[in-house]
Amino acid sequence: MTMRECYEAIGGNYEDVLGRLRSEALIRKFTLKFLEDQSYPQLKQALNDKNYEDAFRSAHTLKGVCQNLSFDRLCEVSHELTELLRDRTGEQPGIPEAMEKVTEVYEMTMEEIKKMSH
């Protein structure tokens, strides 16, 4: 699987990230580093603990990482969750549903990246 094919599979923008990072080797390096990123596990834990300050921070970090890597689909759902958590109260309707979407897209993204890493 090429980097371009991986980006197509995850709903990313390969041309955009290539314009930013300038080489497939760098894109591969940072895409594989995403496998170690702790934003999502921290987000999940913070929501389980009802720690909405940390949940907001983790969702915002995940969104930023996805933005930098042009993981557009994951960036979009992370952005939706970030906005619901922005007031840090956990009282906005739709947080569980938004987290479900993030989980679904995150898991698919991780699976595709893992395929590429072999």
Side-chain angles (χ1 to χ4, degrees):
M1 174 185 286
T2 66
M3 285 305 308
R4 185 179 298 276
E5 289 167 338
C6 180
Y7 266 74
E8 285 171 14
I10 66 171
N13 186 332
Y14 184 77
E15 295 304 320
D16 189 52
V17 76
L18 185 60
R20 192 173 312 112
L21 296 180
R22 301 269 178 230
S23 83
E24 180 147 330
L26 273 180
I27 296 168
R28 177 176 290 274
K29 176 184 173 186
F30 287 114
T31 297
L32 292 175
K33 267 195 126 13
F34 183 75
L35 295 173
E36 301 163 25
D37 182 77
Q38 291 302 301
S39 307
Y40 175 81
Q42 289 167 353
L43 168 62
K44 199 171 172 179
Q45 186 62 54
L47 283 175
N48 286 341
D49 296 344
K50 297 186 178 355
N51 180 338
Y52 299 109
E53 180 71 41
D54 285 356
F56 169 75
R57 195 173 315 113
S58 296
H60 195 274
T61 300
L62 180 61
K63 178 188 82 163
V65 170
C66 292
Q67 211 165 16
N68 289 337
L69 291 171
S70 299
F71 291 174
D72 292 358
R73 190 179 301 151
L74 187 52
C75 182
E76 189 179 304
V77 294
S78 301
H79 174 73
E80 290 169 18
L81 182 59
T82 299
E83 292 311 306
L84 290 173
L85 293 167
R86 187 167 293 282
D87 68 4
R88 297 160 175 82
T89 65
E91 292 173 6
Q92 295 298 322
I95 291 172
E97 295 81 1
M99 183 59 186
E100 271 179 44
K101 279 197 247 173
V102 169
T103 297
E104 186 181 310
V105 177
Y106 176 83
E107 288 175 352
M108 178 274 298
T109 300
M110 294 296 276
E111 285 308 307
E112 292 299 327
I113 294 170
K114 285 175 187 167
K115 284 183 201 170
M116 193 201 65
S117 70
H118 296 195

